[in-house]
């Protein structure tokens, strides 16, 4: 494959990404700072047959997760049948009692899912986690592919690659499917949000209005946005890029200044669609992840196509015994953390750190999961003028409208640290384009 021409443009592409403001923000020590998300021009390549397998598994998983959320806030049959422990649900920080009994438009909760996978050196794909609240990252491979096409058209003439420019179309179809009548808006917390670039880019690509909470108002049981002339325009769908707790100060966090008062009241009445649905956090809790294969069997009566990483719940006595016995060979994750935080490797702890952690684990077993350390497949990246192997994952995007749709692309993130398995941008990682080869 003639790819070297593309590699030669890596610096130019990164310079253009910087010029266009393709950045992400980090809040640390009460300070906000932006930094570039380094791009590596060596693509991750997935064959058509391999992607077909992934596509089937991802669709299956998202359909089961959507059914689970509907059940948890409805009949709770999975709790009645003791497939998932009741206390595991109600102890989850992602469970919201305010969502009880609410059915969103068309029964869709998981409109946009970001499913994180890794491929082991055994070539087997494993699901690492499900992101069902406000998953981000699709904009980075979208704009990177566009810049790559401009920089090296020859590369894309000589290789048969699925076109990833249709993400905006898939997203628009998803939003239109649940729109209750009116405009579609993308709700952003504002310029200083970590993913603001993505909010503005997706608004531009889908034709949706980019708004902040101050531009939306509830009136006569409907939602409106205030246009440039002060006119009220009806809104039927809100792709909200703010967390549940800040969405409506009248229902959730009363100190929120970025939400819309009473928006949840009209959502409850079915007068506006919220993408993703509030309360989804009950399904992407890292502890609930353990039960997803059981959900697939329970709701779909199918065997899971894609496997979880081997996972243990210290909540169960037998799993706690296993974790204590094999602690040095496991990775432990705090279920309340995200972005690569709260992840510790037993093998890298000092004796003092291990003792402290084990005391915490025994005291709060519901707070942690333990997983076998999967030896990720290494992907090559360019480090200065050398090609070196680094650990990488894949965030696949599944959109759920009148049916599940898997984007034939994805966000491949890699660690720039040769000794690290953590690939998150907030931890200093970079990203690649993901090529899905066409037939």
């Amino acid at each position: 494959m003639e790819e070297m021409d593309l590699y030669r443009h890596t610096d130019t592409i990164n310079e253009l990404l910087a010029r266009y403001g393709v950045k992400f923000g980090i809040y640390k020590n009460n300070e906000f700072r932006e930094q570039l998300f380094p791009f590596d021009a060596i693509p991750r390549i997935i064959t058509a047959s391999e992607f077909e397998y992934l596509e089937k598994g991802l669709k299956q998983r998202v359909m089961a997760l959507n059914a689970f959320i509907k059940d948890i806030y409805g009949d709770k049959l999975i709790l009645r049948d003791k497939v998932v422990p009741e206390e595991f649900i109600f102890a989850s920080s992602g469970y919201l009692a305010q969502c009880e009994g609410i059915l969103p438009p068309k029964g869709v909760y998981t409109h946009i899912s970001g499913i994180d996978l890794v491929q082991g050196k055994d070539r087997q794909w494993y699901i690492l986690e499900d992101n069902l609240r406000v998953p981000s990252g699709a904009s980075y491979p979208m704009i990177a592919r566009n810049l790559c096409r401009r920089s090296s058209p020859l590369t894309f003439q000589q290789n048969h690659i699925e076109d990833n420019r249709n993400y905006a179309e898939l997203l628009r179809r998803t939003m239109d499917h649940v729109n209750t009548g009116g405009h579609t808006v993308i709700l952003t917390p504002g310029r200083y949000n970590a993913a603001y670039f993505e909010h503005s880019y997706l608004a531009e690509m889908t034709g949706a209005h980019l708004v902040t909470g101050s531009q939306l108002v509830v009136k006569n049981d409907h939602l409106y946005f205030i246009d440039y002339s002060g006119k009220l325009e009806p809104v039927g769908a809100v792709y909200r890029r703010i967390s549940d707790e800040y969405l409506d100060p009248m229902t959730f966090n009363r100190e929120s200044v970025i939400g819309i008062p009473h928006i949840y009241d009209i959502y409850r009445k079915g007068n506006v669609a919220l993408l993703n649905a509030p309360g989804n956090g009950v399904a992407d809790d890292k502890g609930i992840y353990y039960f997803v294969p059981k959900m697939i069997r329970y709701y779909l009566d199918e065997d899971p196509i894609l496997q979880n990483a081997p996972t243990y719940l210290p909540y169960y006595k037998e799993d706690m015994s296993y974790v204590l016995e094999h602690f040095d060979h496991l990775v432990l994750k705090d279920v309340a953390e995200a972005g690569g935080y709260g992840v510790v490797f037993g093998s890298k702890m000092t004796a003092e750190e291990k003792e402290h952690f084990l005391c915490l684990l025994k005291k709060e077993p519901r707070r942690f999961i333990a997983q076998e350390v999967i030896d990720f497949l290494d992907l090559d990246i360019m480090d200065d003028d050398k090609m070196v192997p680094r650990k990488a994952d894949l965030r696949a995007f599944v959109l759920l409208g009148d049916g599940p749709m898997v984007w034939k692309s994805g966000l491949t993130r890699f660690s720039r640290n040769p000794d690290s398995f953590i690939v998150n941008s907030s931890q200093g990682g970079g990203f690649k384009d993901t090529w899905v080869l066409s037939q």
Side-chain angles (χ1 to χ4, degrees):
M1 299 176 78
E2 293 294 331
E3 297 164 359
M4 288 308 298
D5 183 58
L6 178 59
Y7 305 161
R8 286 193 285 268
H9 294 280
T10 300
D11 289 343
T12 301
I13 294 169
N14 274 289
E15 288 169 6
L16 289 171
L17 290 170
R19 183 184 304 174
Y20 294 150
V22 184
K23 302 177 181 179
F24 64 92
I26 295 178
Y27 289 97
K28 194 169 184 180
N29 300 324
N30 295 319
E31 290 185 4
F32 175 83
R33 61 184 177 85
E34 284 187 314
Q35 62 188 59
L36 298 175
F37 196 6
F39 174 72
D40 182 77
I42 304 176
R44 162 174 247 150
I45 299 175
I46 301 176
T47 65
S49 59
E50 188 172 26
F51 190 82
E52 183 179 1
Y53 160 77
L54 289 175
E55 187 174 32
K56 289 179 181 177
L58 290 165
K59 287 181 177 180
Q60 179 194 60
R61 192 172 181 98
V62 167
M63 292 302 289
L65 286 164
N66 194 76
F68 170 72
I69 300 170
K70 181 180 180 180
D71 188 22
I72 287 302
Y73 292 119
D75 295 332
K76 300 177 176 56
L77 299 179
I78 201 168
L79 303 185
R80 182 202 66 185
D81 294 337
K82 302 187 184 305
V83 178
V84 178
E86 184 173 304
E87 58 269 33
F88 228 77
I89 297 300
F90 300 122
S92 170
S93 61
Y95 166 77
L96 297 178
Q98 298 93 329
C99 298
E100 285 289 343
I102 298 177
L103 184 67
K106 305 289 179 70
V108 180
Y109 294 81
T110 55
H111 306 85
I112 303 106
S113 302
I115 310 297
D116 293 345
L117 310 94
V118 294
Q119 190 173 25
K121 289 187 175 176
D122 58 359
R123 311 301 297 191
Q124 176 72 43
W125 287 91
Y126 298 93
I127 303 284
L128 280 190
E129 64 180 45
D130 308 290
N131 299 280
L132 308 175
R133 294 182 232 199
V134 193
S136 63
S139 63
Y140 297 107
M142 286 173 71
I143 193 168
R145 175 78 65 86
N146 185 39
L147 295 176
C148 287
R149 283 180 176 279
R150 286 165 48 185
S151 299
S152 179
L154 182 66
T155 298
F156 295 89
Q157 291 170 7
Q158 297 182 341
N159 294 286
H160 300 289
I161 308 161
E162 293 285 355
D163 194 338
N164 77 346
R165 289 174 288 189
N166 69 333
Y167 183 81
E169 177 191 344
L170 298 179
L171 180 57
R172 186 74 210 197
R173 283 171 54 187
T174 301
M175 297 187 293
D176 288 347
H177 177 68
V178 294
N179 191 304
T180 60
H183 295 277
T184 296
V185 301
I186 294 179
L187 174 62
T188 177
R191 172 68 184 80
Y192 293 104
N193 181 262
Y196 181 75
F197 160 75
E198 176 156 283
H199 306 169
S200 57
Y201 188 71
L202 292 178
E204 177 184 353
M205 298 303 292
T206 61
H209 300 275
L210 182 67
V211 300
T212 61
S214 63
Q215 295 170 276
L216 296 176
V217 62
V218 172
K219 188 174 181 180
N220 299 326
D221 276 346
H222 287 83
L223 184 66
Y224 300 87
F225 83 89
I226 306 168
D227 72 8
Y228 68 96
S229 67
K231 181 183 176 182
L232 296 182
E233 295 283 354
V235 174
V238 179
Y239 179 15
R240 49 103 183 190
R241 299 300 297 259
I242 67 176
S243 301
D244 291 347
E245 60 268 32
Y246 299 111
L247 184 60
D248 184 346
M250 311 306 292
T251 301
F252 303 111
N253 186 340
R254 65 180 60 187
E255 296 181 1
S256 172
V257 295
I258 59 175
I260 304 98
H262 300 294
I263 191 174
Y264 200 71
D265 295 335
I266 61 171
Y267 169 69
R268 187 182 290 114
K269 294 177 180 180
N271 292 345
V272 71
L274 299 176
L275 300 81
N276 280 345
N280 277 10
V282 71
D284 72 8
D285 180 308
K286 288 185 176 65
I288 297 299
Y289 159 94
Y290 175 91
F291 298 99
V292 178
K294 296 183 178 183
M295 292 177 201
I296 292 171
R297 294 186 178 96
Y298 183 78
Y299 294 113
L300 307 182
D301 194 25
E302 298 172 357
D303 289 329
I305 296 170
L306 293 170
Q307 304 302 313
N308 280 8
T311 304
Y312 309 93
L313 283 186
Y315 172 85
Y316 293 121
K317 289 183 180 179
E318 59 270 27
D319 281 18
M320 175 67 87
S321 297
Y322 183 91
V323 171
L324 296 177
E325 184 178 349
H326 300 87
F327 187 83
D328 290 346
H329 304 287
L330 300 172
V331 55
L332 290 301
K333 297 180 179 180
D334 189 323
V335 301
E337 295 283 359
Y341 296 100
V343 177
V344 294
F345 291 81
S347 60
K348 295 185 179 180
M349 288 186 180
T350 65
E352 184 178 353
E353 289 171 338
K354 181 176 177 180
E355 182 180 0
H356 173 76
F357 188 89
L358 288 175
C359 288
L360 184 60
L361 179 65
K362 293 173 184 177
K363 182 181 178 182
E364 302 181 57
R366 168 64 177 85
R367 181 177 167 182
F368 300 95
I369 63 170
Q371 293 180 323
E372 302 287 353
V373 179
I374 296 174
D375 193 2
F376 294 17
L377 186 69
D378 293 313
L379 296 182
D380 287 330
I381 71 165
M382 295 302 297
D383 186 8
D384 292 327
D385 58 347
K386 295 185 298 182
M387 192 177 291
V388 297
R390 292 290 185 268
K391 302 302 179 187
D393 77 350
L394 171 66
R395 173 164 292 183
F397 291 89
V398 186
L399 297 97
L400 184 55
D402 54 1
M405 303 171 287
V406 182
W407 184 35
K408 292 188 176 181
S409 186
L411 175 65
T412 293
R413 301 174 297 184
F414 62 86
S415 171
R416 290 192 289 166
N417 181 343
D419 301 317
S420 177
F421 283 71
I422 299 176
V423 301
N424 303 72
S425 56
S426 57
Q427 304 289 304
F431 81 102
K432 292 174 170 287
D433 194 2
T434 304
W435 288 7
V436 177
L437 301 184
S438 55
Q439 294 284 6

